[in-house]
Amino acid sequence: MENGKRQWFVPDAFLPADSSHGLVSHEAACLLNAGDREARVRFTFFFEDRDPVGPVELVLGARRTRHVRLDDPDSLGGVELPRGVPYAYTVESDVPVVLQHSRLDTSAGAYTLFTTIAYGE
Amino acid sequence: MENGKRQWFVPDAFLPADSSHGLVSHEAACLLNAGDREARVRFTFFFEDRDPVGPVELVLGARRTRHVRLDDPDSLGGVELPRGVPYAYTVESDVPVVLQHSRLDTSAGAYTLFTTIAYGE
Amino acid sequence: MENGKRQWFVPDAFLPADSSHGLVSHEAACLLNAGDREARVRFTFFFEDRDPVGPVELVLGARRTRHVRLDDPDSLGGVELPRGVPYAYTVESDVPVVLQHSRLDTSAGAYTLFTTIAYGE
Amino acid sequence: MENGKRQWFVPDAFLPADSSHGLVSHEAACLLNAGDREARVRFTFFFEDRDPVGPVELVLGARRTRHVRLDDPDSLGGVELPRGVPYAYTVESDVPVVLQHSRLDTSAGAYTLFTTIAYGE
């Protein structure tokens, strides 16, 4: 039983520029560490026309989840991702974890969610 | 032919605090047992800042599906998951099954669905 | 290069009872046969409290896609799936294909989509 | 570490005929090349009742993402995909990449997103 993978990939990331409904448009990198050892996870952010940013290292406790808000610099060691710009990211972990990526888009007066388990290997 | 996996992981679970449209915001853990043997499945729920809850054991008949409402304590052996709190869960089964996780969010006057096949191994 | 798998599983299927926006709430089982041989695919439908229905056999041409409307008996050899009832399904194929499952829910005056690649093996 | 797969499949592609909210209904094939070598990727588009179109070859830089708008002929070597018609596509790459497929549907006065990691092998 491995409880996941050590490397995860999310190609479609995007923080919408606008918001409505009193809720900020955002994305979350939702991590699950179902194992018995604390995980050190490292995020790297990729763009269309510039070099990657990172790695940003976070700690995820054993038998804990963490829903990392990608629009919150305080959650990413001070890294502020630009809004309205296509990006992508990878997560590397020293122990097996699972990553699911979700977006809430409240731009244009709308309110819509999407999600997918990331690609892991 | 295995008809699935014995362990499944869902990192992004969340029961929105509010509802609209006459429909309660909820999540469903949708299980499919396409095989010929009854499955005993065990849910464990993970949080950001406290120990896991569970396991909660359910039975899934052979060649049956079951869409388990995660906001319904009666579906989870009396366990009431908190609303408005990020969580995650795993499902372990004694025979291979498949798990798909879905959310209906009707908070903020909205109505939006998301889904993903869970991560299995 | 296998161009997919021969067995696919979708645990969360549901045809909403109501519709709006002039568009019927529906689901589609979207198949891609990227290979050079015609595929014979067989659908089986699973329920929570009764025996499965099927198999329903369809043909999918070589190097073709087919988006099978699951609310259309004419697309399913006359099988009419019930609305407002949780179900699930499997697709077996004699050659490798890929299955993606999507829902459009226009009930409650809403309009929301979800999708996922099915679980294949 | 492979950084992905060399062949990806998306069965459910569809460009809605209509739009609202000042935002054109569209789909994006979001690619991530997390590796150190430039990728040559080739798109092939499949239909229900005619031969495939392509391949269309694009270049994806090393350590870059690219969110390819599928409704934009300029992004696809001049290929204009029809609106309102079910299609599917594959992406082949000479180095490992990851593909995620997303749709924004603003038809019928709505605004809804879906996404999934494609099926890779």
Side-chain angles (χ1 to χ4, degrees):
Chain A
M1 199 69 71
E2 277 291 330
N3 292 314
K5 301 280 189 183
R6 286 181 172 77
Q7 181 145 349
W8 293 91
F9 302 76
V10 176
D12 185 4
F14 183 82
L15 295 168
D18 302 314
S19 298
S20 70
H21 287 75
L23 257 166
V24 174
S25 293
H26 65 270
E27 295 186 305
C30 300
L31 290 158
L32 171 56
N33 178 7
D36 291 328
R37 283 190 295 154
E38 184 177 86
R40 289 172 181 274
V41 298
R42 303 199 311 161
F43 285 76
T44 303
F45 300 96
F46 297 82
F47 299 92
E48 291 193 316
D49 51 11
R50 53 182 137 154
D51 286 339
V53 168
V56 172
E57 188 171 308
L58 306 180
V59 172
L60 175 62
R63 298 174 67 72
R64 290 291 184 276
T65 186
R66 192 158 163 191
H67 293 195
V68 181
R69 282 280 294 256
L70 297 174
D71 61 324
D72 176 15
D74 291 342
S75 297
L76 294 178
V79 168
E80 181 162 0
L81 295 167
R83 287 194 174 267
V85 171
Y87 70 106
Y89 63 97
T90 55
V91 174
E92 295 163 281
S93 176
D94 60 348
V95 300
V97 297
V98 183
L99 173 63
Q100 183 176 346
H101 175 73
S102 301
R103 182 185 302 162
L104 173 66
D105 183 350
T106 66
S107 64
Y111 184 110
T112 183
L113 286 169
F114 79 25
T115 200
T116 187
I117 295 288
Y119 171 75
E121 64 179 35
Chain B
M1 198 70 72
E2 277 293 328
N3 292 312
K5 300 280 190 185
R6 286 181 173 76
Q7 181 146 349
W8 293 92
F9 302 78
V10 176
D12 185 4
F14 183 81
L15 294 169
D18 301 314
S19 298
S20 71
H21 288 74
L23 257 165
V24 175
S25 293
H26 65 271
E27 295 186 305
C30 300
L31 290 158
L32 171 56
N33 178 7
D36 291 328
R37 284 189 296 154
E38 185 177 85
R40 288 171 182 275
V41 297
R42 303 200 312 161
F43 285 75
T44 303
F45 301 96
F46 297 82
F47 299 93
E48 291 193 317
D49 51 11
R50 52 183 137 154
D51 286 337
V53 169
V56 172
E57 188 171 310
L58 306 180
V59 172
L60 175 62
R63 298 174 66 73
R64 290 290 185 276
T65 186
R66 192 160 163 191
H67 293 196
V68 181
R69 283 279 294 256
L70 297 173
D71 62 324
D72 176 15
D74 291 343
S75 297
L76 293 178
V79 168
E80 181 162 359
L81 295 168
R83 286 194 174 267
V85 172
Y87 71 105
Y89 64 96
T90 55
V91 174
E92 295 163 283
S93 177
D94 60 349
V95 299
V97 297
V98 183
L99 173 63
Q100 183 177 347
H101 175 72
S102 302
R103 182 185 303 161
L104 173 66
D105 183 349
T106 66
S107 65
Y111 185 109
T112 182
L113 286 169
F114 79 25
T115 199
T116 187
I117 295 287
Y119 171 75
E121 61 179 37
Chain C
M1 198 67 72
E2 277 292 330
N3 291 312
K5 301 279 190 184
R6 286 181 171 78
Q7 182 145 348
W8 292 92
F9 302 76
V10 176
D12 185 4
F14 183 81
L15 295 168
D18 302 313
S19 297
S20 71
H21 288 73
L23 257 165
V24 175
S25 292
H26 65 271
E27 294 186 306
C30 300
L31 290 158
L32 171 56
N33 178 8
D36 291 329
R37 284 189 295 154
E38 184 176 86
R40 289 173 181 273
V41 297
R42 303 199 313 161
F43 285 76
T44 303
F45 301 96
F46 297 83
F47 299 93
E48 290 193 316
D49 51 11
R50 53 182 136 154
D51 286 338
V53 168
V56 171
E57 188 171 310
L58 306 180
V59 173
L60 175 61
R63 298 174 67 71
R64 290 290 184 276
T65 186
R66 192 157 163 192
H67 293 196
V68 181
R69 283 280 293 256
L70 297 174
D71 60 324
D72 176 15
D74 291 342
S75 297
L76 293 178
V79 169
E80 182 163 358
L81 296 167
R83 287 193 174 267
V85 172
Y87 70 105
Y89 64 96
T90 55
V91 174
E92 295 163 282
S93 177
D94 59 349
V95 300
V97 297
V98 183
L99 174 63
Q100 183 176 347
H101 175 72
S102 302
R103 183 185 302 162
L104 173 67
D105 182 349
T106 66
S107 65
Y111 185 110
T112 183
L113 285 169
F114 79 25
T115 199
T116 188
I117 295 287
Y119 171 75
E121 63 179 34
Chain D
M1 198 68 72
E2 277 292 330
N3 292 313
K5 301 279 191 185
R6 287 182 172 75
Q7 181 146 350
W8 293 92
F9 302 76
V10 176
D12 185 4
F14 183 81
L15 295 168
D18 302 313
S19 298
S20 70
H21 288 73
L23 258 165
V24 175
S25 292
H26 65 271
E27 295 186 306
C30 300
L31 290 158
L32 171 56
N33 178 8
D36 291 329
R37 284 190 295 155
E38 184 177 85
R40 290 172 179 275
V41 298
R42 303 199 312 161
F43 285 76
T44 303
F45 300 97
F46 297 83
F47 299 92
E48 290 192 317
D49 51 10
R50 53 182 137 153
D51 286 338
V53 168
V56 172
E57 189 172 310
L58 306 180
V59 172
L60 175 61
R63 298 174 67 71
R64 291 290 184 276
T65 186
R66 191 159 163 192
H67 293 196
V68 181
R69 283 280 294 256
L70 297 173
D71 60 324
D72 177 16
D74 292 342
S75 297
L76 293 178
V79 168
E80 181 162 0
L81 296 167
R83 288 194 173 267
V85 171
Y87 70 105
Y89 63 98
T90 56
V91 173
E92 295 163 282
S93 176
D94 60 348
V95 300
V97 297
V98 183
L99 173 63
Q100 183 176 347
H101 175 73
S102 302
R103 183 185 302 162
L104 173 66
D105 183 348
T106 66
S107 64
Y111 184 109
T112 183
L113 285 169
F114 79 25
T115 199
T116 187
I117 295 287
Y119 171 75
E121 63 178 36

